[in-house]
Amino acid sequence: MTARTILSSPLLHFFVLGGLVFAIYGLVNDSPTVADPEAITLQPAEAGQLVARFTATWDRPPTEVELEGLMRAWALEEAQYREAVALGLDQDDSVIRMRLSQKMEFISEAGAATLEADDAVLQAHLEAHAERFAEPTKLAFEQVLLPADAGDADAMRRALEQGADPATLSRGSLLPTRLPLSAETAIDRLFGGGFARTISELAGSGWSGPVQSTYGHHLVRVIELRPAVLPPLEAIRPKVEQDWRSTRAREMREEFGKALLERYDVTLPSAGEILAK
């Protein structure tokens, strides 16, 4: 077996990832080791966490009596947890199963928080996921909402081209007759999906239409069209770095999950047969 073969082995990947997970778990887990199953001991650091949570909730530290109550409640919760586990109450519990799975996911991706990326890495991430960072197309425009029967749209268009005030021609509504430079998504939320894209194609054509929205038909004049633009890395570096780290965390979680499953002989029923029942 060559070194290349060994390095590409899924089993090796599993052991490496497993070692990494438990190393991270050792760093992030400050729970005390329970040497005596009959002993319940609250470490000072854990008591400090109780104080911190109380302070964050009530905007003041607990009194001595309150802290004694918090610590007794912690001891009772620990005792109840141990008894529940001893009775097997954690078995076949979907909530506990999900919470433990979430903890493993957290551990598997925790290493991403310490990763560092230089500008070359972030620039490559920015270009590979430009759709996540591009500033959207923006439009400023005027609109006239036509009568319900569309009326004489051509006559109204001529009037507008000759300088008529759109507000005096538009059918009564709460819609503004003039919108400042706005993102396509904001325009679509106001006029309905696809409206912004439709009127962007009318830029430079003066008063155009009718264009349909969720309110009816409009005559529209695009005042300004600012195409979508991808900002330079230096302008959005924190955002790109956060997205890159989130992406790496997801990749680490997926790699660990894949290696973990390869450790087991997994047998799953046919989805088609299950759905056919």
Side-chain angles (χ1 to χ4, degrees):
M1 180 179 294
T2 65
R4 186 183 183 86
T5 302
I6 295 174
L7 290 174
S8 62
S9 168
L11 184 61
L12 177 60
H13 294 170
F14 173 78
F15 284 125
V16 171
L17 285 169
L20 177 62
V21 165
F22 287 111
I24 294 172
Y25 181 73
L27 293 175
V28 301
N29 178 43
D30 54 2
S31 299
T33 301
V34 180
D36 181 356
E38 302 300 325
I40 294 178
T41 303
L42 179 65
Q43 300 295 335
E46 293 174 300
Q49 293 174 1
L50 295 178
V51 172
R53 284 198 290 269
F54 183 97
T55 303
T57 301
W58 299 102
D59 200 25
R60 65 171 178 82
T63 65
E64 187 172 324
V65 172
E66 288 172 333
L67 181 55
E68 289 175 350
L70 291 173
M71 292 190 293
R72 185 184 182 283
W74 177 91
L76 176 59
E77 182 182 83
E78 177 66 19
Q80 289 174 332
Y81 165 74
R82 293 187 189 183
E83 292 300 320
V85 172
L87 293 172
L89 300 183
D90 57 327
Q91 303 298 313
D92 300 324
D93 188 311
S94 60
V95 175
I96 294 176
R97 175 190 172 97
M98 180 179 65
R99 288 289 296 137
L100 293 176
S101 176
Q102 289 174 337
K103 285 189 172 184
M104 287 301 293
E105 288 186 350
F106 170 75
I107 292 171
S108 68
E109 65 186 36
T114 62
L115 295 177
E116 298 292 341
D118 57 24
D119 284 352
V121 171
L122 295 181
Q123 182 64 40
H125 184 78
L126 172 62
E127 294 172 2
H129 305 285
E131 74 284 356
R132 301 178 188 174
F133 308 103
E135 294 181 357
T137 297
K138 294 182 178 179
L139 292 154
F141 65 94
E142 292 179 298
Q143 65 83 26
V144 169
L145 179 60
L146 297 173
D149 60 357
D152 190 344
D154 289 337
M156 294 180 72
R157 184 186 304 109
R158 286 194 295 271
L160 290 166
E161 290 171 344
Q162 293 171 5
D165 184 354
T168 63
L169 299 178
S170 183
R171 174 157 56 102
S173 74
L174 296 177
L175 294 172
T177 55
R178 184 185 182 96
L179 271 76
L181 204 59
S182 306
E184 283 186 321
T185 51
I187 295 171
D188 282 351
R189 280 198 297 271
L190 183 58
F191 288 88
F195 188 83
R197 180 58 57 86
T198 299
I199 67 172
S200 68
E201 296 173 353
L202 303 175
S205 302
W207 282 100
S208 305
V211 178
Q212 187 168 9
S213 76
T214 55
Y215 302 97
H217 292 84
H218 307 251
L219 294 179
V220 177
R221 184 174 76 88
V222 177
I223 302 170
E224 182 178 355
L225 169 63
R226 187 174 296 177
V229 60
L230 183 63
L233 175 61
E234 56 269 24
I236 54 172
R237 195 180 197 285
K239 183 178 180 181
V240 176
E241 186 170 11
Q242 181 180 14
D243 189 80
W244 170 81
R245 188 164 285 111
S246 297
T247 301
R248 286 294 298 126
R250 183 171 61 253
E251 292 172 350
M252 292 173 69
R253 183 174 68 246
E254 291 173 353
E255 290 170 3
F256 178 75
K258 181 180 178 181
L260 188 62
L261 283 177
E262 288 176 350
R263 182 186 176 193
Y264 294 88
D265 183 11
V266 179
T267 302
L268 302 174
S270 165
E273 293 179 359
I274 295 299
L275 293 174
K277 290 182 179 178

